[in-house]
Amino acid sequence: MPTSTRAFSTRSSLSMNIEAVETKEIRVGVIGCGRIGVVHLGAITKAPNVSAVIVSNPTVSKAEAAAKQYGVPKFTGDAMEVIESPDVDAVWICSPSQYHAEQIKACAANGKHVFCEKPIATDLAETVEAINACNEAGVKLMTGLQRRFDPNFRRVKEAIDDKEVGETIMIKLCSRDPSPPPFEYVKGGGGIFADMAVHDLDMSRFLAGADPIDILAVGSCHIDKSIEVLDGSEKFDTASCIVRYPGGVQAMVDVCRQSSYGYDQRAEVLGNNGMIATDNVYPNTAKIYKTQFTGNADMPYDFFLSRYNEAYVSETVAFCESLVNDTPVPCTGQDGLAALVMALAADKSAAENRWVTFSEIVQSVFCKDPYNCEILPDDVFPEGFKPVADPSDLLIPDVDAKKSVDEEEAGIGEKIGNFLRR
């Protein structure tokens, strides 16, 4: 596991006493050298005490180019070479979604910590299996939900936590892309809720600070009529959701695959003592003042990597710090599971034109054991099946939760020992 290097620090500027400090160096491998993989690779190079030692991509020339650009010593076309490398402590999975679950399981089997771009898997049962594989192996798993690390959304979260606007009443989120993706991307992409709205649904849960109760969702097609032949919510390019949270808190989400005025990503939270809202992010703060127009000189960012570049870097650095310092990861596998459950519930709501509880989705998962799960058809109940309503009940405790329990028990043991020695 992580190797150690020696760093030195002075006690103060007035003293020449030098103290040896042990720090961990985490060696990582990156699977996938497409747009997202290269963004994370660049962020890894900025994180202290972390170094990339190998990258992979099926098109080897992309892996070679990324390795050359960021000074990574090894590249390959085989993801398993990254996962099985004895020089790797942690793996960043930035491959296409359909490969995530198996690669996560392989990382767990080889004792590697995992950062995985959303989704953990395209199937709910596979998601549970992949998370449990990491939890059983005692390796950390972080889900890439980068908007949680965006400074604008984080400021809203701080305002909620610090009661700057009082108790939360209502949350509003919008997500509108500059232009629609090609037909080939939409087909087989899982639909607008799982592919696009999942970020906003997760953000609503992040801001609410609680698990949701139920959801009502609708969808329609206005932009690219060619996708109307597709199944389920893949035929929608526009959708809206209402999510109900404990305490009567409501969240409203709207998404659209085209915005003529640039990348539109905003949040608003109404509290009983005020409101906090974010604006879009622009390349600069310049404004034009004319007889016919007053406003920003340029449009908002028109590409998600430009809009969220800082967030991608921040989430990567946050996971690196968790590995170096052995602290809990800030966005867990359970968070990824909850986001998928919300997206699936929205999909079902839109298809059946009704409110859908999130427990209804969770109760469809049947696990013979933590590593062998399946989705049950409606009204099918295997012998001994005991449905659960909370996604966390499908999971075994993760490494950070186990560590917390161990430390708590150790603390209790120490207190008892001190008492008996009196």
Side-chain angles (χ1 to χ4, degrees), residues 159-160 163-170 247 249 269-274:
I160 294 171
K163 306 295 184 184
E164 289 184 65
V165 294
E167 297 295 333
T168 300
I169 298 172
M170 188 177 298
V249 174
V269 174
L270 175 67
N272 59 3
N273 289 331

Side-chain angles (χ1 to χ4, degrees), residues 31 48 60 67 71 81 108 124 131 164 181 195 212-213 220 239 243 268 294 334 336 391 398 403:
I31 298 174
V60 183
E81 191 173 337
L124 190 58
I131 296 171
E164 289 184 65
D195 174 56
I213 299 169
S220 54
V243 186
E268 176 187 301
T294 298
Q334 186 175 325
D398 65 32
K403 179 184 175 185

Side-chain angles (χ1 to χ4, degrees), residues 202-338:
D202 172 70
M203 182 52 59
S204 76
R205 176 174 174 263
F206 180 61
L207 296 178
D211 284 327
I213 299 169
D214 53 9
I215 189 169
L216 180 66
V218 294
S220 54
C221 183
H222 299 271
I223 311 302
D224 181 5
K225 294 295 185 178
S226 70
I227 66 172
E228 288 185 312
V229 301
L230 299 177
D231 296 328
S233 64
E234 289 184 3
K235 64 176 174 284
F236 302 147
D237 56 28
T238 305
S240 299
C241 308
I242 302 175
V243 186
R244 291 194 286 209
Y245 283 93
V249 174
Q250 305 167 35
M252 280 160 278
V253 170
D254 76 73
V255 296
C256 184
R257 292 202 185 270
Q258 179 171 288
S259 163
S260 61
Y261 50 88
Y263 206 31
D264 191 358
Q265 307 276 297
R266 288 172 287 127
E268 176 187 301
V269 174
L270 175 67
N272 59 3
N273 289 331
M275 183 192 80
I276 184 168
T278 67
D279 196 358
N280 286 313
V281 179
Y282 292 78
N284 55 67
T285 60
K287 295 183 181 294
I288 291 179
Y289 299 86
K290 298 170 63 176
T291 305
Q292 303 86 1
F293 172 79
T294 298
N296 291 85
D298 294 299
M299 301 282 270
Y301 280 117
D302 62 358
F303 188 45
F304 75 98
L305 287 180
S306 302
R307 167 63 180 83
Y308 286 109
N309 182 71
E310 184 177 350
Y312 280 114
V313 172
S314 295
E315 72 172 354
T316 295
V317 171
F319 186 51
C320 290
E321 290 176 347
S322 173
L323 296 176
V324 171
N325 301 317
D326 192 21
T327 53
V329 299
C331 191
T332 64
Q334 186 175 325
D335 290 324
L337 174 62

Side-chain angles (χ1 to χ4, degrees), residues 104-105 108-109 128-139 370-371 396:
I104 290 172
K105 293 175 185 178
V128 173
E129 292 173 354
I131 296 171
N132 280 335
C134 289
N135 294 353
E136 175 63 24
V139 298
Y371 324 105
I396 58 179

Side-chain angles (χ1 to χ4, degrees), residues 139-157:
V139 298
K140 295 180 186 290
L141 169 63
M142 178 162 163
T143 307
L145 291 164
Q146 90 283 353
R147 292 189 194 181
R148 290 179 175 225
F149 299 87
D150 175 75
N152 298 285
F153 290 121
R154 290 198 74 85
R155 183 63 184 89
V156 175
K157 176 64 172 172

